[in-house]
Amino acid sequence: MDIVTLICTAGFVIAGGLYWFVCGFGSAEVKGKRGIDLSGGSISREKVEDKYKQYWSFFLRPKEIEKPDKVPAFVDTFYNLVTDIYEWGWGQSFHFSPSIPGKSHKDATRLHEEMAVDLINVKSGDKILDVGCGVGGPMRAIASHSKANVVGITINEYQVKRAKAHNQKAGLDSLCEVVCGNFLKMPFGDNTFDGAYSIEATCHAPKLEEVYSEIFRVLKPGSMYVSYEWVTTDKYVGENSEHVEIIQGIERGDALPGLRSYDEISQIAKKVGFEIVKEKDLARPPSNPWWTRLKMGRFAYWRNHVVVTVLSALGIAPKGTVDVHEMLFVTADYLTRGGETGIFSPMHMILCRKPVSN
């Protein structure tokens, strides 16, 4: 074998290996997004880095992200930056679930979603609302399980496009509708829906009562609403510097105006008119740790970070993508620490009913 042939062969092997490394690894659960397809959502590729810096600038003006008129742009920017990375590295359901012995992460996620719709007692043909639907992973699982008609709302136009494409590919577009809008001012009439759910989404609201009031308004009397809320638990101590660091790390890495305490949730629901049917932290024992997947995925994070770095250096991924991925990697560590210390839960469940008469 001459030197030219050797070099060509080695180059082919390296190129093939790189292609497999980059393209062969799609989403952790469903390969709906490839590494070479990473983008900035609706942000043009030349502005991704600037938008990332803009996102962090929100935290230099904390009062700004407490204002309802500022939050949509804040959250929309975040999801433009992270949606492709989430879908590529995590899957189409942007939430956590307790690990279940003998079940894959995909199955545990699906069961967690199906439980939500089972709790609100809807039947085939009912019209229900997904508040903060993302790219529609939960919506599709719930529509398939319940045969209800699901309408999802998300602030992010890019997520609407992704959700519609996934719905069509799954053959569920007849049951699933996606609307771009602000869940603080929803474009639906009063008494429209037979049920509603939100899975780790209303944490983005600056004031929970504002989104709960909107959900209350659009629900038919007698209908049920369930939410899995991100909260600080009774183990959180505001004077503990480590606790504060963990919670602030979660807030900054997940576009949160501020995490609420677990004991505020039912009070707020009652304040807007809901009856409380049930309240439970689904992360507490005997549930298995929800953060196991984060710890098990550390190799995948490092692998993906190498991929993102290479793609960015080659000009395939937009400049700034490496920064976004690193932010999410750091945030994953804060989330894990929040779970291990018990001071944070992403699945404080509250089940509510809109009274028949009010």
Side-chain angles (χ1 to χ4, degrees):
M1 181 180 292
D2 59 40
I3 188 66
V4 175
T5 304
L6 182 62
I7 291 172
C8 290
T9 301
F12 177 79
V13 171
I14 292 170
L18 181 61
Y19 178 85
W20 175 79
F21 191 69
V22 172
C23 302
F25 291 103
S27 157
E29 300 293 358
V30 181
K31 295 182 179 179
K33 174 64 66 173
R34 300 181 305 165
I36 58 173
D37 297 326
L38 294 178
S39 72
S42 299
I43 302 170
S44 60
R45 60 181 293 115
E46 65 272 10
K47 293 184 179 179
V48 168
E49 187 174 37
D50 289 341
K51 286 294 184 179
Y52 171 75
K53 293 176 180 177
Q54 180 185 332
Y55 170 76
W56 276 105
S57 74
F58 278 106
F59 294 102
L60 300 177
R61 308 185 304 277
K63 292 298 181 183
E64 293 292 296
I65 57 177
E66 296 175 5
K67 298 178 181 178
D69 61 323
K70 300 293 184 182
V71 169
F74 170 60
V75 176
D76 185 44
T77 296
F78 175 76
Y79 279 111
N80 274 322
L81 292 170
V82 306
T83 290
D84 277 358
I85 294 176
Y86 274 0
E87 197 175 332
W88 173 53
W90 188 261
Q92 295 174 17
S93 294
F94 298 174
H95 65 81
F96 299 104
S97 60
S99 61
I100 301 175
K103 297 287 186 181
S104 67
H105 294 309
K106 182 179 180 180
D107 285 340
T109 296
R110 176 181 53 78
L111 291 169
H112 195 55
E113 294 163 350
E114 291 175 354
M115 182 176 67
V117 73
D118 289 343
L119 284 167
I120 59 176
N121 296 326
V122 298
K123 59 185 183 297
S124 176
D126 280 352
K127 186 176 183 179
I128 63 176
L129 176 65
D130 182 330
V131 184
C133 66
V135 298
M139 170 192 296
R140 287 182 289 280
I142 284 170
S144 181
H145 175 68
S146 68
K147 300 303 185 286
N149 295 290
V150 187
V151 179
I153 184 168
T154 172
I155 193 70
N156 186 260
E157 184 65 50
Y158 182 68
Q159 289 189 337
V160 172
K161 291 170 59 179
R162 293 295 297 165
K164 287 182 176 180
H166 287 310
N167 292 345
Q168 186 173 23
K169 186 175 181 180
L172 291 168
D173 45 331
S174 63
L175 290 177
C176 299
E177 178 185 350
V178 192
V179 175
C180 188
N182 182 353
F183 61 29
L184 301 177
K185 295 180 180 179
M186 291 193 279
F188 310 120
D190 296 354
N191 308 321
T192 296
F193 295 97
D194 299 299
Y197 64 89
S198 54
I199 298 180
E200 303 183 27
T202 55
C203 50
H204 292 297
K207 294 182 179 179
L208 191 61
E209 54 263 45
E210 292 181 347
V211 63
Y212 275 14
S213 292
E214 274 292 273
I215 295 166
F216 185 90
R217 178 183 68 79
V218 302
L219 276 178
K220 294 177 181 177
S223 296
M224 308 268 276
Y225 164 61
V226 65
S227 183
Y228 298 164
E229 293 288 346
W230 281 31
V231 298
T232 55
T233 72
D234 56 354
K235 294 184 178 181
Y236 175 72
V237 178
E239 292 74 33
N240 184 311
S241 59
E242 181 187 7
H243 288 189
V244 172
E245 177 196 355
I246 291 169
I247 296 305
Q248 286 184 347
I250 293 171
E251 291 169 347
R252 291 174 179 175
D254 286 294
L256 306 181
L259 277 168
R260 283 168 274 271
S261 174
Y262 75 100
D263 55 3
E264 296 178 54
I265 308 302
S266 61
Q267 296 176 21
I268 293 170
K270 289 176 184 177
K271 182 179 178 181
V272 305
F274 279 119
E275 299 170 348
I276 309 303
V277 178
K278 187 176 182 180
E279 186 175 17
K280 180 182 180 181
D281 186 352
L282 301 177
R284 287 187 179 274
S287 292
N288 290 301
W290 55 267
W291 61 91
T292 300
R293 185 178 174 191
L294 288 172
K295 295 187 74 173
M296 290 174 62
R298 291 189 71 84
F299 169 75
Y301 287 126
W302 282 112
R303 178 202 69 203
N304 289 354
H305 198 65
V306 171
V307 171
V308 169
T309 302
V310 171
L311 292 174
S312 183
L314 294 174
I316 298 172
K319 191 176 181 181
T321 306
V322 174
D323 294 325
V324 176
H325 193 267
E326 184 173 0
M327 174 188 75
L328 296 180
F329 181 79
V330 171
T331 305
D333 185 60
Y334 281 122
L335 287 163
T336 300
R337 290 167 63 189
E340 289 179 333
T341 57
I343 65 172
F344 165 73
S345 171
M347 52 191 74
H348 183 90
M349 184 275 291
I350 185 162
L351 179 63
C352 310
R353 179 186 292 111
K354 182 175 179 177
V356 174
S357 59
N358 53 67

